[in-house]
Amino acid sequence: MPTAIVTGATGILGREIVYELGRHPQEWTTVHALSRSKKDVYPSNIVHNFIDLTADVQEVAKELKDVSADYIFFAAYLLKGSEEDNTKVNGDMLENLFKALEINNAVSHIKRIVLVTGCKQYGVHLGRAKTPMVESDPWLPEPPYPPNFYYRQQRSLHAFSAKHGIEWVVTYPNEVIGFAKGNFMNLAASIGLYAAVHRELGTGGLPFPGGATFYEKFDSLTYSRLHAEFCVWAATAPGAKNQAFNVVNGDVESWSNMWPKLAARYGMTVPGDQFSRPAPDASDVPMADNPPISFLAKALGLQGKTAQSHIEQTIDLAKWSQKPEVQAAWERLAEREGLEKDAFEKATWMFSGFVLGRNFDVIVSMSKARAAGWTGYHDTWESFEKVFDQLESEKILPKAIGRFVGWSMQQ
Ligand SMILES: NC(=O)c1ccc[n+]([C@@H]2O[C@H](COP(=O)([O-])OP(=O)(O)OC[C@H]3O[C@@H](n4cnc5c(N)ncnc54)[C@H](OP(=O)(O)O)[C@@H]3O)[C@@H](O)[C@H]2O)c1
């Protein structure tokens, strides 16, 4: 029966992989969940090991001396202030794990390594990329583009796997709809808090804080549970061997379709004039000079048509979250409903402003995974509802007031 190591076991993506393996104790007899902290009570087949992957490699090897497994899922992640620092720390963490396993003679057990990365692979953090994004799209040259830590991690994975005759898989999830204890850095938490505080402010409606352009454009999101199901499938699926895969829900969504549903959840509607009325709290921030699509402009026949992308917010979320009346409304709400006081301050307003404010489509193809035998699918709005329910039971969001029951209710 196979055994596994999961790094980043307390994170939004790693935690769900631990739980997915935990659901199948007959198949996965022992799962080593690795992280610096422990936040959950795990199923019986999970063993938690405290580890700091940034420590000296001999230290890491010592901590891992009793740990070996058939399959490795790498989902550890440290966010730094620059792409150079992200590349250094996240590349070093992966290589430290590899070196520690070599020191401990634990490499011969390993059958396949699944590395979790993301759609920054295509440069979505820099601006518009070609759509749909397909795994065979060329990697962006560094320079002129900034270093990409996923590229360093993948190069290390390829080299380590080739050296030891191990199989590998890489996943490219897009924005994640998920939950991790004590981690408020997620999109579902921020938009849920934004809606709940709007309700508390009593302004009578729920305006979309992103831009009018993106409201009607398309996005592809990743439910953390779907991603975990994919990782566990890909660890053993013959067709997944030595391949990188996009991992998104399998539907395509727009905020114009989902925002009225979020408003209904908190007993509000979307103001009909949200993009035509004065917008004193708007912001418009240019992204990288050359969006990723400009690298392919000649081949695509788009020369002169690949303008710089922008983050356009009708209500700048980072600034909105700092307003005294907004903070006072949160404090009232948190006090009355017994919510986690820290949640609002720790929520990722900047990240959510970026996700909702981009002025380009983010369409991620699942064709390669489907051709390899993957059949998983989750509806994106239902994924949000499930995570909102979880955030409610963890006292991060207040109880929902309503449910979207159809467009006729919105007239
Ligand atoms: N979240 C998203 O929306 C998203 C979207 C696309 C791609 N991704 C990618 O998915 C990957 C995982 O991200 P995530 O969002 O799941 O991260 P996360 O929620 O921030 O979790 C990071 C995990 O890494 C662990 N960790 C951090 N520093 C560590 C260290 N020094 N030693 C050992 N463990 C350490 C953390 O646990 P402790 O703090 O307890 O150590 C935690 O379990 C990253 O490559 C990320 O770029 C994320």
Side-chain angles (χ1 to χ4, degrees), residues 26-47:
Q26 282 81 24
E27 278 171 62
W28 297 89
T29 47
T30 308
V31 177
H32 294 278
L34 310 186
S35 51
R36 292 169 304 177
S37 62
K38 180 171 188 267
K39 294 177 176 138
D40 291 277
V41 178
Y42 292 117
S44 60
N45 58 336
I46 314 293
V47 181

Side-chain angles (χ1 to χ4, degrees), residues 36-216:
R36 292 169 304 177
S37 62
K38 180 171 188 267
K39 294 177 176 138
D40 291 277
V41 178
Y42 292 117
S44 60
N45 58 336
I46 314 293
V47 181
H48 186 266
N49 301 77
F50 293 95
I51 193 147
D52 181 354
L53 287 168
T54 62
D56 176 80
V57 68
Q58 295 295 341
E59 266 313 298
V60 177
K62 214 162 101 193
E63 295 293 335
L64 290 178
K65 74 176 170 17
D66 299 321
V67 176
S68 66
D70 304 303
Y71 297 92
I72 297 184
F73 300 86
F74 190 93
Y77 170 55
L78 258 179
L79 175 66
K80 292 285 173 183
S82 70
E83 293 307 331
E84 285 75 11
D85 289 348
N86 275 329
T87 303
K88 165 126 191 55
V89 75
N90 290 292
D92 285 356
M93 285 205 292
L94 180 64
E95 288 181 7
N96 248 4
L97 175 70
F98 289 160
K99 285 182 203 148
L101 292 168
E102 285 178 333
I103 291 169
N104 291 349
N105 291 319
V107 175
S108 60
H109 294 279
I110 306 169
K111 295 189 171 74
R112 202 175 273 189
I113 301 171
V114 179
L115 169 68
V116 178
T117 66
C119 283
K120 275 187 174 181
Q121 168 74 17
Y122 303 108
V124 289
H125 54 307
L126 304 171
R128 177 160 74 106
K130 167 188 145 293
T131 51
M133 290 165 224
V134 180
E135 295 87 339
S136 55
D137 291 348
W139 292 19
L140 297 172
E142 319 158 83
Y145 293 96
N148 187 321
F149 76 88
Y150 296 156
Y151 294 178
R152 179 175 164 203
Q153 287 186 323
Q154 288 174 88
R155 287 188 192 106
S156 300
L157 173 71
H158 297 163
F160 181 78
S161 302
K163 180 175 166 192
H164 295 289
I166 296 169
E167 296 170 2
W168 56 267
V169 171
V170 178
T171 68
Y172 301 153
N174 196 29
E175 284 97 37
V176 171
I177 306 166
F179 165 80
K181 270 203 164 58
N183 179 341
F184 307 108
M185 292 182 61
N186 80 59
L187 179 64
S190 322
I191 63 170
L193 288 168
Y194 173 83
V197 168
H198 257 276
R199 162 99 191 167
E200 183 70 20
L201 284 164
T203 47
L206 185 68
F208 181 67
T213 311
F214 193 57
Y215 195 61
E216 291 185 88

Side-chain angles (χ1 to χ4, degrees), residues 1-24:
M1 291 297 158
T3 53
I5 293 171
V6 184
T7 71
T10 50
I12 292 199
L13 290 170
R15 175 183 183 272
E16 212 59 61
I17 298 172
V18 171
Y19 276 100
E20 183 60 25
L21 296 168
R23 274 188 271 276
H24 307 286

Side-chain angles (χ1 to χ4, degrees), residues 371-392:
W374 168 248
T375 55
Y377 160 78
H378 279 272
D379 177 85
T380 292
W381 179 250
E382 280 173 18
S383 310
F384 270 114
E385 295 263 34
K386 285 181 189 139
V387 173
F388 289 144
D389 290 347
Q390 222 171 347
L391 291 164
E392 281 181 17

